[in-house]
Amino acid sequence: MLTRLSRLRLMEQTRKLSQRDVRYARLEESDLMAFESVLGKEAVVKDDIANYVSDWTRQFTGKGSVVLLPKTAEQVSAVLGYCSKRKLAVVPQAGNTGLVGGSVPLFDEIVLSTKNIRNNFEFDEASGVLTCDAGFILQDIDEKLRQKGFMMPFDLGAKGSCLIGGNIATCAGGIRLLRYGSLHAHLLGLTAVLPDENGTILKLGSPIRKDNTSLHTHHMFLGSEGQLGVITSVTMTVVPAPDSVCSAMLGISSFENCLAVLKLAKRRLAEILSSFEFLDAAAMEALEENLKLAPLLTEKSPFTILLETSGSKAEHDMEKVKNFLEECFNEGLVDDGVMADSLTEANKMWTLRESCPLAVVRDGYVYKHDVSLPLPHFYALTEEMRRHCGDLAKRVVTYGHLGDGNTHLNITSSKFDQKLYDKLYPYLYEWVADHGGSISAEHGIGQVKMPYAHFGKQLEERALVQSLKQPVQIGIELTGLSTHSLGSHRNPVVVMLLVVLILLVGVDATDPVQEELRHPTSDKIIEKYVELSMNLTGLFNGTTIGEEALHELSKKIVSHDKDPAKVHEIYEKFVEKLPEDQKKVFVDFFYDKVRLDYMSKRVDTILGYYLTKHQIARIRHIMEDGFTVGLNREEIMKVISEELTKEIGKEKAEKALEMTVKNLKVFAKKNIGVLDRVEGAFNKMIHEEL
Ligand code: MLT
Ligand code: ZN
């Protein structure tokens, strides 16, 4: 049961990618005219948009037919407000240099490019604080700053085309994080436009370095991948450009020695160490074979380290580096090494490292990964995947930011291979989560990792994230991590209600309590219909259960939304009429859960008749603790009964239990086997997952 639940969860998420969300409207001629009136004709592009709807790897291509190029936050606001009212899906895009398919349309979303938001650029030399519009290219900003003796605190291979707004939205890492820390250390504020009906312009944080007057809401946009809104301007600290930079390349025979060199570098080079990059032999081979880039070291080594120091006094830095290298050789940690003694030589070293992404793409197809792992497991992942994939993979290549524990494991084949895909996932991400890693160190989730985004994350955290995104969910199509409540959600509250249900059944009673009914507005009913319909068709896509029937069912269900008993009856009738094979699919994948949700709500209402919400919550905790410490059903019942007595007196407590149990007994009789199945699943969750 547990396996089925997780599979279902995965299936639901994967299917979302293959189905357009019917809640979004289709673009019409009148929409284009509206955009033109706000942005001007030249900023509404319909021709030659291939580079906007496809990503850099060309693995993700959507069907978007229009690109909007606003120049100001006000224009973004007008566009988003309009799209929100019209329910037109939008995908925000910066430099489109991402590697996870997060900035291109999934379906027919409008592409909102921020590349023309490039008006304001202010830099204060005294404080080192930069405020600039989101559309500036990272390299251009860096060059402007260098004229004043400063530089950006991060550097990426994509610097020539990525935009600062996109860097913030993906919390870009890059090659200098080791020295200057992540963007969290530098971001002071930003302007972002929300995808709500007003296109609200938010100004978060401030240009001063210290400001604790509020929640640091601007930090929520770091790594948000466009899910919360469109960043139009950024305020951040930058750093003084170093007067002396030194690069060195080292050949190392074992991964163990790579770690020993890193440890020594941190100690001996200390404050001047700015990069510690890693390339394995397979990466070197790909560079040579696919890009004709020859290695710089004379000996071929299993591992290559590219390290960089950034300081303020060349002689001092050089002496430090030389002493460090000497120690490495004396200790037998390094087999071969070169120090760059000119900018050209340093550039050659960095070209090797920065060309790795292109070298692997040239194999044909690449399964890219961007994971963080505790250092002892950093290369074990590569070895494990090499063994696991065997001959299916053309190359298993690793390069990355060893200093930060961030490995870019790239597995290549000549073209997309489903067999290899199935071999890799979810195995690889499970391995990472099991070894204490993160499945997304710097590239984000995008489309690629959407089905696995929950790996290694606490359920409550995911729920919190979903609730934060909720207010802006329908106005904009983002990376698609939206909540769909049907079928697979293991919401702790629902689980606890199931526990109430399982525990109490076994005693007698009747239900005198009327359900408290909510009366949704007609708008809400339409929304509910679309959501239910979409969920059901998504869930049963690929089965023989027809879409028409599911739409009809959804209509009936939502029109009786006020009456849970009636809803239950409609489902019952629908199931009864299904042919045997479809019945099984429907019940197994969906209907057990609907029945239990229905019953859980009844239990909640019954308990609510006697207890306050707070008291119910306490009872649930007692049950959860009871299960976790291994109490059996009778023992837990005893504790609950005692607790209830303390709260509301013996007589009421007995009555509450009696009433609840009577209802549940009826449910168990009518739904044979459902409780056993759920109890089994819950026990497994408690023992295996929690
Ligand atoms: C890199 O470090 O080279 C980038 O993150 C790109 C990549 O992983 O391919
Ligand atoms: Zn990287």
mmCIF file of all heavy atoms in Angstrom, residues 554-586:
data_model
loop_
_atom_site.group_PDB
_atom_site.id
_atom_site.type_symbol
_atom_site.label_atom_id
_atom_site.label_comp_id
_atom_site.label_asym_id
_atom_site.label_seq_id
_atom_site.Cartn_x
_atom_site.Cartn_y
_atom_site.Cartn_z
ATOM 1 N N SER A 554 -17.455 14.827 -12.236
ATOM 2 C CA SER A 554 -17.004 16.037 -11.543
ATOM 3 C C SER A 554 -18.137 17.046 -11.424
ATOM 4 O O SER A 554 -18.305 17.698 -10.396
ATOM 5 C CB SER A 554 -15.843 16.688 -12.285
ATOM 6 O OG SER A 554 -14.887 15.733 -12.595
ATOM 7 N N LYS A 555 -18.911 17.180 -12.516
ATOM 8 C CA LYS A 555 -20.011 18.134 -12.519
ATOM 9 C C LYS A 555 -20.999 17.786 -11.408
ATOM 10 O O LYS A 555 -21.423 18.635 -10.627
ATOM 11 C CB LYS A 555 -20.713 18.091 -13.887
ATOM 12 C CG LYS A 555 -20.809 19.439 -14.553
ATOM 13 C CD LYS A 555 -21.490 19.338 -15.901
ATOM 14 C CE LYS A 555 -20.481 19.326 -17.031
ATOM 15 N NZ LYS A 555 -21.051 18.978 -18.328
ATOM 16 N N LYS A 556 -21.355 16.481 -11.361
ATOM 17 C CA LYS A 556 -22.333 16.055 -10.354
ATOM 18 C C LYS A 556 -21.794 16.291 -8.949
ATOM 19 O O LYS A 556 -22.495 16.760 -8.064
ATOM 20 C CB LYS A 556 -22.639 14.559 -10.532
ATOM 21 C CG LYS A 556 -23.615 14.285 -11.640
ATOM 22 C CD LYS A 556 -24.051 12.828 -11.587
ATOM 23 C CE LYS A 556 -24.750 12.478 -12.893
ATOM 24 N NZ LYS A 556 -24.573 11.095 -13.276
ATOM 25 N N ILE A 557 -20.547 15.944 -8.755
ATOM 26 C CA ILE A 557 -19.953 16.067 -7.419
ATOM 27 C C ILE A 557 -19.996 17.520 -6.940
ATOM 28 O O ILE A 557 -20.453 17.811 -5.846
ATOM 29 C CB ILE A 557 -18.475 15.582 -7.425
ATOM 30 C CG1 ILE A 557 -18.403 14.097 -7.751
ATOM 31 C CG2 ILE A 557 -17.768 15.901 -6.124
ATOM 32 C CD1 ILE A 557 -18.913 13.172 -6.701
ATOM 33 N N VAL A 558 -19.532 18.443 -7.807
ATOM 34 C CA VAL A 558 -19.445 19.821 -7.327
ATOM 35 C C VAL A 558 -20.818 20.469 -7.175
ATOM 36 O O VAL A 558 -20.996 21.356 -6.354
ATOM 37 C CB VAL A 558 -18.523 20.721 -8.181
ATOM 38 C CG1 VAL A 558 -17.094 20.289 -8.072
ATOM 39 C CG2 VAL A 558 -18.961 20.777 -9.608
ATOM 40 N N SER A 559 -21.791 19.991 -7.944
ATOM 41 C CA SER A 559 -23.101 20.626 -7.768
ATOM 42 C C SER A 559 -23.762 20.168 -6.466
ATOM 43 O O SER A 559 -24.751 20.746 -6.033
ATOM 44 C CB SER A 559 -23.995 20.419 -8.983
ATOM 45 O OG SER A 559 -24.036 19.067 -9.289
ATOM 46 N N HIS A 560 -23.220 19.121 -5.854
ATOM 47 C CA HIS A 560 -23.729 18.712 -4.534
ATOM 48 C C HIS A 560 -22.694 18.939 -3.458
ATOM 49 O O HIS A 560 -22.682 18.258 -2.436
ATOM 50 C CB HIS A 560 -24.161 17.240 -4.574
ATOM 51 C CG HIS A 560 -25.398 17.047 -5.381
ATOM 52 N ND1 HIS A 560 -25.364 16.784 -6.725
ATOM 53 C CD2 HIS A 560 -26.699 17.140 -5.046
ATOM 54 C CE1 HIS A 560 -26.586 16.707 -7.185
ATOM 55 N NE2 HIS A 560 -27.421 16.918 -6.198
ATOM 56 N N ASP A 561 -21.836 19.898 -3.736
ATOM 57 C CA ASP A 561 -20.726 20.186 -2.852
ATOM 58 C C ASP A 561 -21.131 20.386 -1.397
ATOM 59 O O ASP A 561 -20.397 20.065 -0.472
ATOM 60 C CB ASP A 561 -20.016 21.439 -3.404
ATOM 61 C CG ASP A 561 -18.806 21.782 -2.615
ATOM 62 O OD1 ASP A 561 -17.813 21.030 -2.682
ATOM 63 O OD2 ASP A 561 -18.856 22.792 -1.897
ATOM 64 N N LYS A 562 -22.363 20.909 -1.200
ATOM 65 C CA LYS A 562 -22.801 21.218 0.168
ATOM 66 C C LYS A 562 -23.172 19.974 0.964
ATOM 67 O O LYS A 562 -23.334 20.027 2.161
ATOM 68 C CB LYS A 562 -24.037 22.142 0.099
ATOM 69 C CG LYS A 562 -23.739 23.515 -0.409
ATOM 70 C CD LYS A 562 -24.993 24.340 -0.532
ATOM 71 C CE LYS A 562 -25.730 24.018 -1.838
ATOM 72 N NZ LYS A 562 -26.976 24.752 -1.997
ATOM 73 N N ASP A 563 -23.370 18.877 0.256
ATOM 74 C CA ASP A 563 -23.907 17.703 0.931
ATOM 75 C C ASP A 563 -22.954 16.501 0.787
ATOM 76 O O ASP A 563 -23.023 15.727 -0.173
ATOM 77 C CB ASP A 563 -25.264 17.385 0.285
ATOM 78 C CG ASP A 563 -25.959 16.236 0.989
ATOM 79 O OD1 ASP A 563 -25.321 15.586 1.838
ATOM 80 O OD2 ASP A 563 -27.135 16.002 0.680
ATOM 81 N N PRO A 564 -22.052 16.336 1.755
ATOM 82 C CA PRO A 564 -21.048 15.285 1.639
ATOM 83 C C PRO A 564 -21.665 13.889 1.486
ATOM 84 O O PRO A 564 -21.112 13.042 0.776
ATOM 85 C CB PRO A 564 -20.274 15.380 2.952
ATOM 86 C CG PRO A 564 -20.562 16.720 3.487
ATOM 87 C CD PRO A 564 -21.897 17.130 2.979
ATOM 88 N N ALA A 565 -22.820 13.663 2.124
ATOM 89 C CA ALA A 565 -23.435 12.334 2.024
ATOM 90 C C ALA A 565 -23.869 12.075 0.584
ATOM 91 O O ALA A 565 -23.684 10.983 0.046
ATOM 92 C CB ALA A 565 -24.628 12.248 2.968
ATOM 93 N N LYS A 566 -24.400 13.121 -0.038
ATOM 94 C CA LYS A 566 -24.845 13.004 -1.433
ATOM 95 C C LYS A 566 -23.634 12.766 -2.349
ATOM 96 O O LYS A 566 -23.672 11.930 -3.257
ATOM 97 C CB LYS A 566 -25.577 14.309 -1.825
ATOM 98 C CG LYS A 566 -26.136 14.320 -3.204
ATOM 99 C CD LYS A 566 -27.415 13.506 -3.312
ATOM 100 C CE LYS A 566 -27.851 13.422 -4.776
ATOM 101 N NZ LYS A 566 -28.810 12.355 -4.986
ATOM 102 N N VAL A 567 -22.569 13.506 -2.073
ATOM 103 C CA VAL A 567 -21.350 13.344 -2.861
ATOM 104 C C VAL A 567 -20.875 11.901 -2.787
ATOM 105 O O VAL A 567 -20.540 11.265 -3.792
ATOM 106 C CB VAL A 567 -20.250 14.304 -2.339
ATOM 107 C CG1 VAL A 567 -18.884 13.939 -2.889
ATOM 108 C CG2 VAL A 567 -20.602 15.746 -2.688
ATOM 109 N N HIS A 568 -20.917 11.384 -1.590
ATOM 110 C CA HIS A 568 -20.500 10.013 -1.346
ATOM 111 C C HIS A 568 -21.362 9.044 -2.172
ATOM 112 O O HIS A 568 -20.860 8.122 -2.811
ATOM 113 C CB HIS A 568 -20.662 9.747 0.151
ATOM 114 C CG HIS A 568 -20.041 8.464 0.587
ATOM 115 N ND1 HIS A 568 -18.704 8.198 0.432
ATOM 116 C CD2 HIS A 568 -20.594 7.376 1.159
ATOM 117 C CE1 HIS A 568 -18.461 7.002 0.904
ATOM 118 N NE2 HIS A 568 -19.590 6.475 1.342
ATOM 119 N N GLU A 569 -22.644 9.344 -2.170
ATOM 120 C CA GLU A 569 -23.597 8.502 -2.905
ATOM 121 C C GLU A 569 -23.325 8.557 -4.423
ATOM 122 O O GLU A 569 -23.368 7.531 -5.105
ATOM 123 C CB GLU A 569 -24.999 9.054 -2.609
ATOM 124 C CG GLU A 569 -26.133 8.092 -2.844
ATOM 125 C CD GLU A 569 -27.448 8.855 -2.619
ATOM 126 O OE1 GLU A 569 -27.623 9.435 -1.526
ATOM 127 O OE2 GLU A 569 -28.255 8.906 -3.561
ATOM 128 N N ILE A 570 -23.015 9.754 -4.917
ATOM 129 C CA ILE A 570 -22.738 9.895 -6.358
ATOM 130 C C ILE A 570 -21.518 9.056 -6.750
ATOM 131 O O ILE A 570 -21.515 8.347 -7.747
ATOM 132 C CB ILE A 570 -22.517 11.385 -6.731
ATOM 133 C CG1 ILE A 570 -23.809 12.165 -6.501
ATOM 134 C CG2 ILE A 570 -22.061 11.538 -8.175
ATOM 135 C CD1 ILE A 570 -23.657 13.676 -6.539
ATOM 136 N N TYR A 571 -20.491 9.147 -5.917
ATOM 137 C CA TYR A 571 -19.309 8.332 -6.183
ATOM 138 C C TYR A 571 -19.672 6.846 -6.196
ATOM 139 O O TYR A 571 -19.251 6.090 -7.063
ATOM 140 C CB TYR A 571 -18.238 8.578 -5.109
ATOM 141 C CG TYR A 571 -17.334 9.753 -5.388
ATOM 142 C CD1 TYR A 571 -17.209 10.796 -4.473
ATOM 143 C CD2 TYR A 571 -16.569 9.823 -6.542
ATOM 144 C CE1 TYR A 571 -16.367 11.874 -4.713
ATOM 145 C CE2 TYR A 571 -15.717 10.902 -6.789
ATOM 146 C CZ TYR A 571 -15.621 11.918 -5.876
ATOM 147 O OH TYR A 571 -14.771 12.972 -6.123
ATOM 148 N N GLU A 572 -20.436 6.432 -5.175
ATOM 149 C CA GLU A 572 -20.836 5.020 -5.055
ATOM 150 C C GLU A 572 -21.505 4.549 -6.343
ATOM 151 O O GLU A 572 -21.169 3.500 -6.879
ATOM 152 C CB GLU A 572 -21.839 4.856 -3.911
ATOM 153 C CG GLU A 572 -21.214 4.932 -2.538
ATOM 154 C CD GLU A 572 -20.568 3.621 -2.128
ATOM 155 O OE1 GLU A 572 -21.303 2.653 -1.898
ATOM 156 O OE2 GLU A 572 -19.318 3.593 -2.046
ATOM 157 N N LYS A 573 -22.454 5.361 -6.817
ATOM 158 C CA LYS A 573 -23.204 4.985 -8.024
ATOM 159 C C LYS A 573 -22.270 4.906 -9.233
ATOM 160 O O LYS A 573 -22.372 4.010 -10.054
ATOM 161 C CB LYS A 573 -24.318 6.011 -8.294
ATOM 162 C CG LYS A 573 -25.516 5.769 -7.413
ATOM 163 C CD LYS A 573 -26.750 6.457 -7.983
ATOM 164 C CE LYS A 573 -27.918 6.228 -7.024
ATOM 165 N NZ LYS A 573 -28.676 7.446 -6.775
ATOM 166 N N PHE A 574 -21.363 5.891 -9.308
ATOM 167 C CA PHE A 574 -20.422 5.921 -10.428
ATOM 168 C C PHE A 574 -19.581 4.644 -10.440
ATOM 169 O O PHE A 574 -19.417 3.995 -11.467
ATOM 170 C CB PHE A 574 -19.524 7.163 -10.308
ATOM 171 C CG PHE A 574 -18.481 7.274 -11.378
ATOM 172 C CD1 PHE A 574 -18.804 7.766 -12.631
ATOM 173 C CD2 PHE A 574 -17.169 6.885 -11.129
ATOM 174 C CE1 PHE A 574 -17.843 7.870 -13.632
ATOM 175 C CE2 PHE A 574 -16.201 6.975 -12.122
ATOM 176 C CZ PHE A 574 -16.542 7.475 -13.376
ATOM 177 N N VAL A 575 -19.083 4.281 -9.251
ATOM 178 C CA VAL A 575 -18.233 3.089 -9.150
ATOM 179 C C VAL A 575 -19.027 1.840 -9.527
ATOM 180 O O VAL A 575 -18.550 0.987 -10.279
ATOM 181 C CB VAL A 575 -17.651 2.953 -7.725
ATOM 182 C CG1 VAL A 575 -16.875 1.655 -7.572
ATOM 183 C CG2 VAL A 575 -16.751 4.134 -7.417
ATOM 184 N N GLU A 576 -20.239 1.755 -9.031
ATOM 185 C CA GLU A 576 -21.073 0.574 -9.297
ATOM 186 C C GLU A 576 -21.235 0.311 -10.791
ATOM 187 O O GLU A 576 -21.218 -0.822 -11.238
ATOM 188 C CB GLU A 576 -22.473 0.799 -8.713
ATOM 189 C CG GLU A 576 -22.682 0.115 -7.378
ATOM 190 C CD GLU A 576 -23.966 0.614 -6.739
ATOM 191 O OE1 GLU A 576 -24.969 0.761 -7.455
ATOM 192 O OE2 GLU A 576 -23.931 0.889 -5.518
ATOM 193 N N LYS A 577 -21.378 1.421 -11.545
ATOM 194 C CA LYS A 577 -21.639 1.266 -12.978
ATOM 195 C C LYS A 577 -20.384 0.949 -13.799
ATOM 196 O O LYS A 577 -20.491 0.608 -14.968
ATOM 197 C CB LYS A 577 -22.276 2.555 -13.518
ATOM 198 C CG LYS A 577 -23.735 2.653 -13.151
ATOM 199 C CD LYS A 577 -24.401 3.739 -13.985
ATOM 200 C CE LYS A 577 -25.755 4.067 -13.394
ATOM 201 N NZ LYS A 577 -26.006 5.497 -13.325
ATOM 202 N N LEU A 578 -19.222 1.091 -13.192
ATOM 203 C CA LEU A 578 -17.992 0.867 -13.970
ATOM 204 C C LEU A 578 -17.783 -0.623 -14.254
ATOM 205 O O LEU A 578 -18.102 -1.462 -13.400
ATOM 206 C CB LEU A 578 -16.772 1.377 -13.181
ATOM 207 C CG LEU A 578 -16.569 2.881 -13.080
ATOM 208 C CD1 LEU A 578 -15.375 3.184 -12.175
ATOM 209 C CD2 LEU A 578 -16.327 3.498 -14.461
ATOM 210 N N PRO A 579 -17.228 -0.969 -15.429
ATOM 211 C CA PRO A 579 -16.862 -2.362 -15.674
ATOM 212 C C PRO A 579 -15.800 -2.798 -14.645
ATOM 213 O O PRO A 579 -15.051 -1.942 -14.143
ATOM 214 C CB PRO A 579 -16.254 -2.351 -17.079
ATOM 215 C CG PRO A 579 -16.480 -0.997 -17.626
ATOM 216 C CD PRO A 579 -16.921 -0.083 -16.536
ATOM 217 N N GLU A 580 -15.704 -4.101 -14.394
ATOM 218 C CA GLU A 580 -14.847 -4.603 -13.303
ATOM 219 C C GLU A 580 -13.403 -4.081 -13.354
ATOM 220 O O GLU A 580 -12.873 -3.632 -12.348
ATOM 221 C CB GLU A 580 -14.814 -6.137 -13.319
ATOM 222 C CG GLU A 580 -15.985 -6.788 -12.593
ATOM 223 C CD GLU A 580 -16.320 -6.162 -11.222
ATOM 224 O OE1 GLU A 580 -15.427 -6.098 -10.366
ATOM 225 O OE2 GLU A 580 -17.487 -5.706 -11.040
ATOM 226 N N ASP A 581 -12.797 -4.086 -14.545
ATOM 227 C CA ASP A 581 -11.384 -3.674 -14.611
ATOM 228 C C ASP A 581 -11.234 -2.190 -14.253
ATOM 229 O O ASP A 581 -10.336 -1.790 -13.510
ATOM 230 C CB ASP A 581 -10.793 -3.969 -16.005
ATOM 231 C CG ASP A 581 -11.559 -3.241 -17.115
ATOM 232 O OD1 ASP A 581 -12.805 -3.110 -16.978
ATOM 233 O OD2 ASP A 581 -10.923 -2.786 -18.092
ATOM 234 N N GLN A 582 -12.179 -1.366 -14.734
ATOM 235 C CA GLN A 582 -12.094 0.067 -14.424
ATOM 236 C C GLN A 582 -12.396 0.321 -12.953
ATOM 237 O O GLN A 582 -11.803 1.193 -12.319
ATOM 238 C CB GLN A 582 -13.090 0.844 -15.287
ATOM 239 C CG GLN A 582 -12.739 0.816 -16.756
ATOM 240 C CD GLN A 582 -13.668 1.703 -17.569
ATOM 241 O OE1 GLN A 582 -14.506 2.413 -17.042
ATOM 242 N NE2 GLN A 582 -13.507 1.639 -18.882
ATOM 243 N N LYS A 583 -13.347 -0.481 -12.428
ATOM 244 C CA LYS A 583 -13.702 -0.320 -11.010
ATOM 245 C C LYS A 583 -12.444 -0.472 -10.150
ATOM 246 O O LYS A 583 -12.172 0.297 -9.246
ATOM 247 C CB LYS A 583 -14.739 -1.384 -10.646
ATOM 248 C CG LYS A 583 -15.392 -1.147 -9.289
ATOM 249 C CD LYS A 583 -16.403 -2.200 -8.950
ATOM 250 C CE LYS A 583 -17.711 -2.023 -9.707
ATOM 251 N NZ LYS A 583 -18.692 -3.055 -9.462
ATOM 252 N N LYS A 584 -11.664 -1.498 -10.475
ATOM 253 C CA LYS A 584 -10.477 -1.788 -9.669
ATOM 254 C C LYS A 584 -9.486 -0.608 -9.724
ATOM 255 O O LYS A 584 -8.983 -0.155 -8.694
ATOM 256 C CB LYS A 584 -9.822 -3.071 -10.191
ATOM 257 C CG LYS A 584 -8.691 -3.526 -9.304
ATOM 258 C CD LYS A 584 -8.302 -4.949 -9.511
ATOM 259 C CE LYS A 584 -7.026 -5.321 -8.765
ATOM 260 N NZ LYS A 584 -6.652 -4.472 -7.652
ATOM 261 N N VAL A 585 -9.270 -0.111 -10.926
ATOM 262 C CA VAL A 585 -8.334 1.020 -11.074
ATOM 263 C C VAL A 585 -8.840 2.223 -10.280
ATOM 264 O O VAL A 585 -8.098 2.868 -9.528
ATOM 265 C CB VAL A 585 -8.190 1.407 -12.575
ATOM 266 C CG1 VAL A 585 -7.337 2.652 -12.735
ATOM 267 C CG2 VAL A 585 -7.583 0.255 -13.350
ATOM 268 N N PHE A 586 -10.127 2.503 -10.435
ATOM 269 C CA PHE A 586 -10.700 3.683 -9.781
ATOM 270 C C PHE A 586 -10.628 3.570 -8.257
ATOM 271 O O PHE A 586 -10.224 4.501 -7.560
ATOM 272 C CB PHE A 586 -12.161 3.856 -10.236
ATOM 273 C CG PHE A 586 -12.729 5.204 -9.913
ATOM 274 C CD1 PHE A 586 -12.476 6.300 -10.724
ATOM 275 C CD2 PHE A 586 -13.512 5.406 -8.782
ATOM 276 C CE1 PHE A 586 -12.987 7.554 -10.433
ATOM 277 C CE2 PHE A 586 -14.024 6.653 -8.476
ATOM 278 C CZ PHE A 586 -13.763 7.730 -9.309
#
